[in-house]
Amino acid sequence: EDELKRAEERVKNAEARVVVIEDELQAIGENQKQLEVSEEKARRREEKYQEQIKQINIRLKQAEARSEYAEMNISKLHLRIDELEDEIIREKLKINAVSGQLDDTFNEMLNKY
């Protein structure tokens, strides 16, 4: 009878430990589910950030290409400005020469008459 009581006591203790372990397993299972959900959310955020980085890199490359094209155009425009300034100087020299010739012609005409 004592053995039976001790056996029943051990069974009760074992059953109590089983309940405690089952509760712990349930809590661990819930924690694992929460961790999996958190991991999935983090993975989706990471994918979203990677896509944003990809799009930003594409825009950066496009901006760099536009900048390079603009710099080439600026260089071409500076060359054209230099050419036009040289042409203006040449035209002014021609105008001065023609003006001088006109002055000489008017002076000759005035001297003759």
Side-chain angles (χ1 to χ4, degrees), residues 32-33 56 61 70 98 100 113:
Q32 184 177 359
K33 286 179 187 177
I56 289 170
K61 287 178 184 176
V98 169
Y113 302 107

Side-chain angles (χ1 to χ4, degrees), residues 34-49:
Q34 289 175 354
L35 288 173
E36 287 172 354
V37 168
S38 295
E39 179 185 14
E40 179 63 23
K41 287 179 182 178
R43 189 187 58 74
R44 277 191 246 127
R45 277 195 313 270
E46 181 181 3
E47 287 174 359
K48 184 176 108 177
Y49 293 149

Side-chain angles (χ1 to χ4, degrees), residues 56-99:
I56 289 170
N57 280 331
I58 289 171
R59 290 195 330 244
L60 174 63
K61 287 178 184 176
Q62 291 171 343
E64 286 173 343
R66 285 192 309 270
S67 173
E68 187 176 323
Y69 180 73
E71 286 176 9
M72 287 187 329
N73 280 340
I74 288 170
S75 294
K76 288 179 184 179
L77 289 172
H78 281 300
L79 287 174
R80 182 65 180 139
I81 288 170
D82 290 343
E83 291 170 358
L84 290 172
E85 286 174 342
D86 290 345
E87 188 175 332
I88 288 171
I89 290 170
R90 284 192 300 273
E91 291 300 318
K92 283 183 179 179
L93 291 173
K94 285 180 187 177
I95 289 170
N96 285 341
V98 169
S99 178

